[in-house]
């Protein structure tokens, strides 16, 4: 299915990488659901940029009832079911190396919160969209990871562990859903400049990344969004269960 024929849900779509992903799909003619949790104003502003192709819907991805309602709203609004899911939502986390809790201080509650956002959130969206994808014999699911679980330059214990678990989740879903024409992949960016989540990161850290990266630059959200589009496009129709690291070559897998 061409990008212009897809109905795309982007969770956490009001800001940062999510917003750039919304813009990238909308530019290709896709119809896009901008999911937001707290940033209604930003989501509505983004919706206004692509009036015919966008719909902003508030929902907590950790709540299955809210997610199911969002899928129903999208299907009613666009007259077609969701074909493509980008699991991008990040719940209550900032990349702040100063405030980050170390091994002595991090508690299970922090792990649980990030696992709820990453794994439960992705499970809820996939299970809500799967019946229609199975009927269509087509689906594209792209989960958003991180290069930190391969190279934890900062030990964000809770966040990084949840994203490592998301890779296992991605590959199990890919194995299970391929028979229905559904591909499941992951895009793992590095620290992106600049998003709300990375706003607490110092310029010194960005400079260190820049000097350590073969391309000698920090990846920006629009560049990562283009990689997400690849997995949704016909060019990736034979690709599933993969993790594409988009960080300018900082981590070479």
């Amino acid at each position: 299915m061409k990008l212009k024929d897809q109905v795309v849900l982007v969770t956490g779509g009001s800001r940062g990488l999510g917003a750039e992903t919304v813009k990238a799909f909308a530019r290709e003619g896709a119809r896009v659901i901008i999911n937001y949790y707290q940033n209604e104003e930003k989501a509505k502003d983004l919706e206004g940029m692509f009036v015919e192709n966008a719909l902003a819907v508030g929902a907590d991805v950790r709540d299955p009832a809210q997610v199911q309602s969002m899928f129903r709203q999208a299907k009613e609004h666009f007259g077609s079911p969701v074909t493509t899911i980008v699991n991008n939502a990040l719940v209550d986390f900032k990349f702040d190396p100063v405030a980050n809790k170390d091994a002595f201080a991090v508690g299970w509650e922090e792990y649980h919160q990030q696992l709820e956002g990453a794994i439960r959130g992705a499970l809820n969206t996939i299970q809500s969209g799967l019946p229609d994808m199975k009927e269509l014999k087509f689906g594209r699911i792209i989960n958003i990871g991180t290069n930190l679980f391969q190279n934890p330059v900062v030990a964000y214990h809770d966040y990084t562990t949840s994203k490592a678990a998301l890779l296992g989740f991605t590959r199990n879903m890919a194995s299970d859903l391929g028979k229905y024409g559904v591909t499941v992949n992951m895009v793992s960016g590095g620290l992106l400049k600049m998003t709300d989540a990375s706003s607490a990161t110092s310029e010194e850290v960005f400079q260190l990344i820049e000097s350590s990266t073969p391309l000698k630059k920090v990846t920006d959200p629009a560049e990562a969004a283009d990689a997400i589009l690849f997995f949704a496009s016909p060019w990736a129709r034979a690709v599933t269960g993969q993790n594409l690291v988009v960080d300018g070559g900082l981590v070479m897998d």
Side-chain angles (χ1 to χ4, degrees):
M1 186 182 293
K2 294 180 179 179
L3 291 171
K4 69 179 182 63
D5 298 321
Q6 295 181 28
V7 178
V8 183
L9 167 67
V10 181
T11 69
S14 65
R15 59 197 179 106
L17 175 58
E20 291 300 329
T21 302
V22 167
K23 293 174 186 177
F25 274 109
R27 283 195 298 266
E28 295 297 324
R31 291 159 287 174
V32 189
I33 302 99
I34 307 163
N35 162 252
Y36 66 91
Y37 178 42
Q38 295 174 318
N39 292 282
E40 180 178 8
E41 184 177 352
K42 288 183 178 181
K44 292 293 186 182
D45 288 345
L46 192 55
E47 179 188 58
M49 294 174 61
F50 306 100
V51 178
E52 295 182 2
N53 283 31
L55 173 68
V57 183
D60 183 345
V61 295
R62 297 167 294 184
D63 185 329
Q66 291 187 39
V67 173
Q68 289 161 12
S69 174
M70 175 169 59
F71 274 76
R72 287 193 297 270
Q73 284 180 253
K75 191 173 183 178
E76 290 170 6
H77 181 83
F78 290 121
S80 300
V82 171
T83 64
T84 307
I85 298 168
V86 180
N87 285 310
N88 168 74
L90 179 61
V91 178
D92 298 327
F93 186 84
K94 281 190 178 295
F95 299 100
D96 186 345
V98 177
N100 181 52
K101 292 185 178 181
D102 67 9
F104 293 92
V106 66
W108 175 246
E109 59 273 16
E110 282 89 17
Y111 282 102
H112 185 258
Q113 179 171 270
Q114 291 307 313
L115 287 164
E116 283 267 301
I119 308 300
R120 190 177 189 184
L123 179 63
N124 286 339
T125 60
I126 290 172
Q127 289 183 335
S128 294
L130 192 54
D132 283 323
M133 291 181 179
K134 182 180 178 181
E135 185 174 337
L136 289 169
K137 296 182 174 60
F138 178 90
R140 295 290 179 264
I141 298 163
I142 302 102
N143 298 322
I144 303 306
T146 179
N147 66 356
L148 284 170
F149 67 74
Q150 291 158 292
N151 183 27
V153 289
V154 177
Y156 294 115
H157 294 278
D158 47 351
Y159 170 79
T160 304
T161 300
S162 74
K163 293 300 188 180
L166 188 60
L167 179 57
F169 174 92
T170 296
R171 288 177 172 161
N172 279 284
M173 284 292 179
S175 178
D176 200 17
L177 301 183
K179 56 184 172 288
Y180 305 120
V182 177
T183 65
V184 190
N185 291 288
M186 177 181 277
V187 171
S188 291
L191 187 66
L192 301 175
K193 188 176 183 180
M194 179 71 76
T195 67
D196 286 359
S198 67
S199 60
T201 302
S202 68
E203 187 59 34
E204 288 76 17
V205 171
F206 283 121
Q207 288 174 358
L208 176 63
I209 293 171
E210 185 174 299
S211 64
S212 305
T213 302
L215 293 180
K216 302 303 178 189
K217 68 183 296 293
V218 178
T219 307
D220 67 47
E223 291 169 328
D226 286 345
I228 293 168
L229 256 66
F230 164 72
F231 279 130
S233 76
W235 297 308
R237 62 190 179 276
V239 182
T240 196
Q242 302 304 309
N243 176 38
L244 179 61
V245 180
V246 183
D247 65 358
L250 183 64
V251 173
M252 297 190 182
D253 187 10

